[in-house]
């Protein structure tokens, strides 16, 4: 007798979307708890309960707690649900395509306002936990070094336009941008001194023009 029962179709896109939805929920729950309780006091079990999933699901979706926090940092930088290399980010491509050096810097200042709104609160969590969590300290050092390399590329682009002030080298321009684009700097002005993110953006773009460009 021939069995006419057809196998149930395998809906891979639907499964991927469900997995992505679960992962987003875990990241949202983790962010909320880390900001409320800090890194050390936030357990993976608490994140699972907040996200409404099993603990094993959290580990399968995002890995152990240090890997989860790294993912939160990387997605805060990218502005998407996934880590994105600098060269693939939309704002980086827009900056590279902008021929005017002043507008390059203004575009970057605007991007930073958006990035730091997501990243700087996580930085405060990391700052409090880094002394007791070597993996977090290493993560922030890695990101700082990566920013330095990326700022070297941006400074080289500015230099290629002939716009850098006399006596300002590519290395100095890169260091100035690197120091002032840090989460620490944003936290000081916005969290500690009460600046609005918009004021931070305007000040940053203007300061970079005055410090680095000869036709500011």
């Amino acid at each position: 007798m021939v069995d006419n029962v057809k196998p149930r179709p395998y809906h891979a896109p639907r499964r991927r979307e469900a997995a992505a939805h679960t992962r987003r929920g875990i990241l949202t729950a983790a962010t909320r708890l880390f900001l409320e309780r800090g890194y050390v006091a936030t357990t993976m079990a608490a994140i699972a309960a907040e996200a409404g999933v099993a603990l094993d699901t959290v580990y399968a979706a995002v890995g152990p707690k240090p890997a989860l926090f790294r993912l939160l940092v990387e997605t805060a930088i990218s502005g998407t649900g996934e880590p994105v290399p600098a060269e693939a980010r939309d704002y980086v491509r827009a900056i590279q395509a902008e021929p005017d050096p002043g507008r390059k810097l203004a575009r970057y200042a605007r991007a930073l306002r958006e990035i730091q709104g997501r990243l700087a609160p996580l930085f405060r969590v990391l700052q409090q936990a880094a002394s007791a969590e070597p993996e977090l300290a290493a993560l922030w050092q890695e990101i700082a070094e990566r920013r330095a390399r990326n700022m070297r590329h941006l400074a080289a682009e500015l230099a290629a336009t002939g716009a850098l002030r006399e006596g300002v080298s590519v290395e100095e321009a890169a260091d100035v941008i690197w120091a002032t684009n840090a989460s620490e700097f944003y936290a000081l002005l916005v969290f500690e001194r009460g600046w609005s993110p918009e004021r931070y953006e305007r000040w940053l773009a203007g300061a970079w023009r005055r410090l680095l460009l000869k036709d500011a």
Side-chain angles (χ1 to χ4, degrees):
M1 180 176 179
V2 178
D3 188 353
N4 291 322
V5 177
K6 296 181 179 180
R8 182 177 298 176
Y10 179 75
H11 297 291
R14 191 176 299 170
R15 289 177 65 89
R16 285 196 296 268
E17 176 55 34
H21 177 76
T22 298
R23 190 167 179 267
R24 288 194 296 270
I26 292 169
L27 295 182
T28 299
T31 299
R32 183 161 51 247
L33 291 182
F34 281 136
L35 296 183
E36 288 176 359
R37 305 179 184 180
Y39 182 86
V40 175
T42 300
T43 65
M44 294 294 274
I47 292 170
E50 182 77 8
V53 300
L55 179 58
D56 287 348
T57 300
V58 176
Y59 281 103
V62 297
K65 189 158 76 164
L68 167 57
F69 197 85
R70 171 185 285 273
L71 182 59
L72 292 178
V73 168
E74 295 288 3
T75 56
I77 294 171
S78 73
T80 70
E82 298 291 339
V84 178
E87 62 273 11
R89 297 171 197 155
D90 290 342
Y91 76 86
V92 173
R93 291 172 173 169
I95 291 168
Q96 291 171 339
E98 173 57 61
D100 181 82
R103 287 197 291 269
K104 275 184 185 290
L105 293 173
R107 281 182 178 272
Y108 187 38
R110 175 168 296 183
L112 275 175
R113 169 170 62 85
E114 296 172 355
I115 292 168
Q116 293 299 355
R118 301 183 297 264
L119 181 60
L122 291 172
F123 159 73
R124 301 185 91 178
V125 173
L126 184 151
Q127 193 177 39
Q128 293 166 1
S131 60
E133 299 288 338
E135 287 183 81
L136 295 190
L139 167 62
W140 207 251
Q141 183 62 34
E142 174 190 327
I143 290 172
E145 291 172 357
R146 188 172 70 195
R147 282 195 301 109
R149 291 193 298 271
N150 291 338
M151 293 312 98
R152 179 65 171 71
H153 295 317
L154 175 56
E157 289 179 22
L158 294 173
T161 69
L164 286 183
R165 289 178 54 192
E166 184 177 354
V168 176
S169 66
V170 168
E171 290 73 19
E172 182 177 342
D175 286 348
V176 168
I177 301 172
W178 176 85
T180 50
N181 75 5
S183 293
E184 298 93 318
F185 194 79
Y186 179 94
L188 285 171
L189 292 178
V190 176
F191 298 154
E192 302 298 333
R193 303 310 305 159
W195 285 28
S196 69
E198 293 75 19
R199 182 183 178 188
Y200 160 85
E201 176 193 336
R202 291 193 301 270
W203 183 89
L204 199 59
W208 284 342
R209 286 194 297 267
R210 292 189 298 273
L211 291 169
L212 303 176
L213 303 183
K214 59 187 178 185
D215 294 327

